[in-house]
Amino acid sequence: MNAAPTRETIWDESRRRLIRGTVVGSLIEWYDIAIYGQAAALVFGTLFFPDFSPSVGLIAAFATFGVGYFARPIGALIFGHIGDRYGRRSALVGTLLLMGVATTVIGLLPTYASVGLVAPVLLVLCRLLQGLGVGAEYVGAVTMVAEFAPAHRRGYYAALPACGVFLGIGLAAAVSGVVATLPSDQLMSWGWRVPFLLSIAVVGIGLLIRLRVPESPVFAELREARQRTRVPALTMVRTMPARLLLVMIANSPLAFNIYVVQTYALSYLAGKGVSKSTSLFALLVGCAVGAAAIPLVGKLSDRSGRKPVYLAVSVFCALISFPFFWLLDTGNTVLIVLAFALALGGGCLAMFGSQAAYFAELFPAAYRFSGFALGREIPGAALAGPAPIIAVGLVAATGGAPWLLAVALVVVALASAVAVAVLPETRGVGLAPAAPVGSGPAAGPGAAPADVPDRVVKQ
């Protein structure tokens, strides 16, 4: 009789499919976010809110961008529950389909000129559906990889799905850059739709890959041991509320700073007469820098620990905030590209590499998906969605000067550093159902006892 395959054997056999499947999912997530944000910054105000002044139309367009973020915690609850109760793989297939279909439909929507107020209503509805899917996509991808990967290389492998972030933003910037070269009448009539419609092709490829990925061995053990909770999110909130709060604060630069850099900065540059193609090229370069930084930062966290690496990235995000706007204000193409390379690639995107394995290790298997997802998406609803609107308001309050917005970026980044300083180190902790959470040299606030839920499901 053949022995059951070990986790190491499953990892070796499925590693390539798993990495491809999770990277493609993150690519679609961030492609969808980026093309929506870019369209909100550049064309949606005119297409869906033409009766407003340009400034109010821009704010209204950014408001529809923000609506999706209010749906993300709901998506985190729904798909986090599915992931913790019925399987990580099932949740990931659901998020992929929901995101892709909603994005494709946006490319088919009529504009205000055709159907009046129905157009922005439909846009908001599609954005809500996008938000539901996005609310657990990245977290599910990282959780899957973290639960498969060998402990000594978990930081590196868990960071790889985040490369889909750079690929998605980069692909969106590239497609939008090509579309932006169209004559204005063609861009506003049909060109803006192309980036959204292309989403369906990427979803089809991602679905084919993802359906071939096996279930997480950690979830399989959890199910076999009958240790799944009835309501994972509720158990997590009762068991470790302090840790959840600290994770939310630690994630705040990825809920605020990154959207100021990748979304608001495009309209900021447009207001200074910088061409759309220059802005999108700078964004693309920032993404390329992030592509290199994410796995390197993840690998560094395997060697030096999760906390010191995360702290260093948070502090860098604070330090680069003022120089980012100084470089943009020069109007010089090379310096604008440098600004995005440092602030987006070396700062915000690099943070994905430091947080991937760390956040997965901070929560027990029984509610890891839910805890990780809510820890990311609650601050997303509070900060990410309103970020471009907040940015517009802060810059307007100072007569067009960006210094107050830069102060806000510094405060958010330093708050993240403080939260990480309080959280425990987790490098080397086990992720299997029987592994203690917060075990090791530095258990901290919110540390839980053994990774066994207080209410298990009898099967």
Side-chain angles (χ1 to χ4, degrees), residues 406-422:
V407 169
L409 296 177
V410 171
V411 169
V412 170
L414 291 181
S416 171
V418 171
V420 173
V422 177

Side-chain angles (χ1 to χ4, degrees), residues 19 37 46 53 58 145 159 165 190 221 239 244 296 311 375 384 391 409 414 432 439 443 448 451:
I19 297 299
T46 303
S53 68
L58 178 62
V145 175
V165 173
W190 60 267
E221 292 174 26
T239 305
L244 176 63
L296 289 176
L311 280 168
L409 296 177
L414 291 181
S439 63
D451 188 4

Side-chain angles (χ1 to χ4, degrees), residues 292-311:
I294 287 170
L296 289 176
V297 170
K299 182 177 289 189
L300 186 60
S301 76
D302 283 328
R303 297 181 178 179
S304 303
R306 314 297 186 216
K307 285 185 64 170
V309 173
Y310 207 130
L311 280 168

Side-chain angles (χ1 to χ4, degrees), residues 245-271:
L245 177 62
L246 290 169
V247 167
M248 288 191 289
I249 297 172
N251 186 67
S252 55
L254 289 178
F256 184 76
N257 298 40
I258 192 171
Y259 291 102
V260 171
V261 173
Q262 78 171 48
T263 301
Y264 169 74
L266 299 180
S267 60
Y268 180 82
L269 288 171

Side-chain angles (χ1 to χ4, degrees), residues 263-285:
T263 301
Y264 169 74
L266 299 180
S267 60
Y268 180 82
L269 288 171
K272 292 187 171 296
V274 176
S275 69
K276 296 175 183 178
S277 58
T278 296
S279 301
L280 291 171
F281 175 72
L283 183 64
L284 189 59
V285 171

Side-chain angles (χ1 to χ4, degrees), residues 220-458:
E221 292 174 26
L222 192 72
R223 180 172 52 197
E224 202 170 308
R226 299 183 180 181
Q227 291 183 2
R228 291 173 291 166
T229 63
R230 294 187 186 279
V231 186
L234 182 60
T235 303
M236 180 269 302
V237 170
R238 285 204 314 263
T239 305
M240 46 198 343
R243 180 163 296 183
L244 176 63
L245 177 62
L246 290 169
V247 167
M248 288 191 289
I249 297 172
N251 186 67
S252 55
L254 289 178
F256 184 76
N257 298 40
I258 192 171
Y259 291 102
V260 171
V261 173
Q262 78 171 48
T263 301
Y264 169 74
L266 299 180
S267 60
Y268 180 82
L269 288 171
K272 292 187 171 296
V274 176
S275 69
K276 296 175 183 178
S277 58
T278 296
S279 301
L280 291 171
F281 175 72
L283 183 64
L284 189 59
V285 171
C287 292
V289 173
I294 287 170
L296 289 176
V297 170
K299 182 177 289 189
L300 186 60
S301 76
D302 283 328
R303 297 181 178 179
S304 303
R306 314 297 186 216
K307 285 185 64 170
V309 173
Y310 207 130
L311 280 168
V313 175
S314 296
V315 171
F316 181 76
C317 285
L319 292 175
I320 198 61
S321 298
F322 276 92
F324 174 69
F325 286 103
W326 294 339
L327 293 170
L328 296 188
D329 285 341
T330 66
N332 181 281
T333 298
V334 174
L335 295 181
I336 290 171
V337 170
L338 178 62
F340 277 88
L342 292 172
L344 181 61
C348 296
L349 290 179
M351 187 170 283
F352 280 99
S354 61
Q355 80 165 206
Y358 192 29
F359 284 8
E361 291 165 346
L362 283 169
F363 295 100
Y367 44 81
R368 177 170 296 130
F369 202 133
S370 296
F372 193 165
L374 290 173
R376 278 182 48 83
E377 300 309 335
I378 291 175
L383 293 174
I389 300 174
I390 293 172
V392 170
L394 291 177
V395 172
T398 52
W403 67 265
L404 188 56
L405 176 56
V407 169
L409 296 177
V410 171
V411 169
V412 170
L414 291 181
S416 171
V418 171
V420 173
V422 177
L423 284 164
E425 177 60 70
T426 61
R427 181 178 56 145
V429 71
L431 296 186
V437 173
S439 63
D451 188 4
V452 177
D454 57 344
R455 295 176 65 194
V456 299
V457 178
K458 301 301 181 183

Side-chain angles (χ1 to χ4, degrees), residues 22-166:
T22 53
V23 167
V24 168
S26 292
L27 183 157
I28 295 168
E29 172 188 352
W30 283 85
Y31 175 82
D32 293 352
I33 291 172
I35 59 172
Y36 195 100
Q38 291 160 18
L42 302 175
V43 299
F44 275 179
T46 303
L47 291 171
F48 289 91
F49 305 96
D51 286 350
F52 297 127
S53 68
S55 295
V56 176
L58 178 62
I59 291 174
F62 277 145
T64 65
F65 178 77
V67 161
Y69 285 88
F70 294 109
R72 286 174 67 156
I74 300 173
L77 277 172
I78 294 170
F79 289 105
H81 182 86
I82 292 171
D84 285 327
R85 285 283 292 114
Y86 304 105
R88 321 303 198 203
R89 181 173 173 270
S90 299
L92 284 174
V93 170
T95 57
L96 183 70
L97 286 172
L98 189 56
M99 285 189 310
V101 171
T103 302
T104 303
V105 171
I106 290 174
L108 300 172
L109 290 180
T111 62
Y112 187 93
S114 300
V115 295
L117 288 174
V118 174
V121 170
L122 292 175
L123 183 65
V124 169
L125 179 60
C126 288
R127 184 69 182 131
L128 285 170
L129 293 175
Q130 262 190 336
L132 289 176
V134 168
E137 168 59 38
Y138 168 76
V139 170
V142 171
T143 299
M144 280 281 282
V145 175
E147 291 182 343
F148 268 100
H152 67 287
R153 302 201 67 192
R154 188 183 294 141
Y156 170 71
Y157 281 117
L160 292 181
C163 288
V165 173
F166 116 80

